Amino acid sequence: MSVVVVETDTTNPRAGLREGAFGNATALACRECGQQVALGPFYACPECFGPLEIAYDFPRITREEIEAGPRNIWRYKALLPVPTDIEQSPNMEPGFTRLLRADNLGRELGIATLWVKDDSTNPTNSFKDRVVACALSAARELGAKVFACPSTGNLANAVAAAGARAGIRTVVFIPSNLEQPKQVNSAVYTDSLVAVDGNYDDVNKLASEIAGEEDGWAFVNVNVRPYYAEGSKTLGYEIAEQLGWRLPDQIVIPVASGSQLTKVHKAFQELVRLGLVEDKPYKVFGAQAEGCSPVSVAYKAGVDAIRPVKPDTIAKSLAIGNPADGIYVLDICRQTGGAVEDVTDDQVRDAIVLLARTEGVFTETAGGTTVAVLRKLVETGQLDPELETVVINTGHGLKTLDAISDRVGPVATIAPSYAAFTDAGIV
Ligand SMILES: *Cc1c(COP(=O)(O)O)cnc(C)c1O
Ligand SMILES: [Zn+2]
């Protein structure tokens, strides 16, 4: 493994960085060859084009120090690429969402101990507020003028809102066929919502092109992706802390680009290494919708290569046909003894209603996918129903109302009289 730090020069944006701009982060390291690059707006290895990831020199940190922190993701700031005074800069303060004991859903699915990590209660109602908060900090420290993203919907919401609060110009790009609530939920915060005629992978390609041509643009999931991705680790930290500084036995995580799944695993590994939780085996499961299941297809075929697909599913927030972190998801799920599974759109709809009626949690299609996969994993014997299991709900159902609007509604429409009520035979 070569560890050569590329010399910084005056054209390197790092030259203007203030001391401690990225906290305990020390460099960007290639996930494939280990090559190190100075911290900056870089995402691909100059040697092998592999993805860059943040490297740290973590200080000794105790549970008590973390517990004394704010009730948001900044309680873990020592483990993120953000400055020590991050709370001072205007941001959305996401995180520390509920970990719900889901006994009703567990009973329904035959799982003894089940928890729902409910990230639908973040400021813009999806887990994306976590990653965007870290990307915003990086954009600010790197002196970006425009805060931008290609998005399947939720990311656009989070970027537009965080940029508004931070007082930085935002431009967000979405596929033009996106659910209307997700369009409104972005456009309300920004005057620059750009709808692109194409699918997410087309939008993503356009964003990379713009990032290459324009100066001063921070595309959260493109050129500042290494910083952005680290935000997902906070999901893993929180789950462990909320379980009383323990790791679960099994965890089911939705897969779009695959970043979240890889980072939750990384978070668990870091907690073990830092002595904050006891080491133990745990299984990681990935959830996809059948209409966009390139990772699950590769998993089932027993191959390492992921063949890109054209998405066709109601789970639009997971509709990435060419997932950047797909191969790492395969590795993690295989190594930990988990699996990657997929479900039909109808199973997604059923699971949305099931979660709502058992736990009072209204999830979007991504959460429907995850709960439906959980159910399928139990039914097919891939997940052990006796082991403690966590399922992540990553977004709110109000954003994808259309998915279930023909399944739920009034049981009857009646005249405003007691007689009409009793006649309707509701009770
Ligand atoms: C973006 C997103 C995901 C998955 O994100 P990746 O890290 O790209 O795999 C899951 N759920 C929801 C609701 C999302 O918006
Ligand atoms: Zn490399």
Side-chain angles (χ1 to χ4, degrees):
M1 188 191 292
S2 76
V3 185
V4 181
V5 177
V6 172
E7 283 301 317
T8 54
D9 61 36
T10 47
T11 59
N12 186 326
R14 197 197 181 206
L17 294 183
R18 69 180 175 118
E19 191 69 21
F22 296 102
N24 296 311
T26 54
L28 293 165
C30 175
R31 221 138 115 187
E32 290 298 326
C33 74
Q35 166 92 13
Q36 294 209 354
V37 178
L39 292 162
F42 315 118
Y43 59 104
C45 174
E47 288 295 317
C48 75
F49 300 105
L52 295 173
E53 168 168 77
I54 311 284
Y56 298 90
D57 184 8
F58 287 137
R60 211 188 298 277
I61 181 164
T62 65
R63 293 175 179 178
E64 291 70 28
E65 281 164 342
I66 292 172
E67 286 165 359
R71 293 183 66 83
N72 58 51
I73 62 170
W74 305 133
R75 68 203 278 109
Y76 310 107
K77 67 185 174 186
L79 310 178
L80 298 170
V82 299
T84 49
D85 61 352
I86 179 68
E87 300 100 314
Q88 311 305 318
S89 317
N91 71 88
M92 304 294 283
E93 303 179 348
F96 224 69
T97 56
R98 310 177 295 176
L99 182 70
L100 294 167
R101 177 74 185 240
D103 286 340
N104 297 332
L105 179 61
R107 207 172 304 117
E108 199 65 38
L109 301 181
I111 300 171
T113 314
L114 180 62
W115 302 88
V116 174
K117 177 60 173 170
D118 185 15
D119 244 23
S120 69
T121 61
N122 273 313
T124 69
N125 303 105
S126 87
F127 101 97
K128 289 296 198 303
D129 292 312
R130 297 176 185 272
V131 279
V132 166
C134 292
L136 175 63
S137 174
R140 196 184 262 133
E141 299 298 340
L142 294 168
K145 302 283 180 290
V146 184
F147 196 47
C149 67
S151 171
T152 57
N154 285 316
L155 186 58
N157 297 176
V159 164
R165 183 155 167 69
I168 179 170
R169 165 118 206 265
T170 55
V171 183
V172 299
F173 299 84
I174 55 164
S176 55
N177 74 347
L178 201 62
E179 298 100 331
Q180 206 244 356
K182 281 188 184 151
Q183 301 202 23
V184 175
N185 266 298
S186 293
V188 74
Y189 303 113
T190 181
D191 59 7
S192 299
L193 169 70
V194 183
V196 179
D197 281 326
N199 61 31
Y200 173 79
D201 299 284
D202 300 319
V203 181
N204 191 38
K205 218 176 295 154
L206 170 64
S208 303
E209 217 177 304
I210 298 172
E213 295 290 332
E214 302 285 330
D215 276 339
W217 283 55
F219 276 96
V220 302
N221 49 343
V222 182
N223 54 350
V224 292
R225 186 174 179 84
Y227 308 88
Y228 156 94
E230 290 293 286
S232 283
K233 292 193 306 182
T234 59
L235 262 171
Y237 300 147
E238 283 177 24
I239 289 166
E241 182 179 349
Q242 290 169 320
L243 286 174
W245 295 106
R246 282 188 308 113
L247 302 182
D249 299 318
Q250 307 177 118
I251 185 161
V252 188
I253 307 172
V255 173
S257 73
S259 176
Q260 176 182 155
L261 185 144
T262 65
K263 293 298 175 171
V264 169
H265 174 63
K266 187 182 184 205
F268 286 174
Q269 296 295 303
E270 286 175 354
L271 292 179
V272 169
R273 221 171 50 237
L274 289 162
L276 292 165
V277 299
E278 218 168 276
D279 196 3
K280 62 169 269 198
Y282 58 86
K283 296 181 178 182
V284 181
F285 297 86
Q288 296 208 295
E290 197 183 273
C292 183
S293 51
V295 187
S296 147
V297 165
Y299 173 81
K300 291 176 185 177
V303 298
D304 292 333
I306 291 178
R307 188 176 300 179
V309 299
K310 280 228 180 307
D312 179 17
T313 169
I314 58 167
K316 293 201 163 72
S317 53
L318 301 182
I320 296 185
N322 189 12
D325 290 299
I327 52 169
Y328 303 109
V329 169
L330 281 178
D331 265 0
I332 290 166
C333 294
R334 284 176 177 148
Q335 274 172 21
T336 62
V340 190
E341 192 43 281
D342 57 83
V343 288
T344 65
D345 283 358
D346 261 345
Q347 290 172 319
V348 171
R349 293 187 184 96
D350 288 345
I352 291 174
V353 177
L354 176 66
L355 179 63
R357 299 216 169 153
T358 51
E359 299 298 343
V361 173
F362 187 14
T363 184
E364 69 147 87
T365 47
T369 302
T370 315
V371 171
V373 161
L374 170 66
R375 174 188 242 171
K376 189 169 174 183
L377 290 168
V378 176
E379 285 169 3
T380 53
Q382 299 179 84
L383 183 135
D384 187 341
E386 297 308 317
L387 296 180
E388 184 171 51
T389 303
V390 174
V391 62
I392 302 182
N393 170 32
T394 47
H396 204 291
L398 286 172
K399 296 196 199 188
T400 59
L401 278 179
D402 280 356
I404 50 143
S405 53
D406 59 353
R407 296 218 163 188
V408 297
V411 63
T413 303
I414 62 171
S417 75
Y418 182 65
F421 170 67
T422 54
D423 282 354
I426 292 158
V427 285

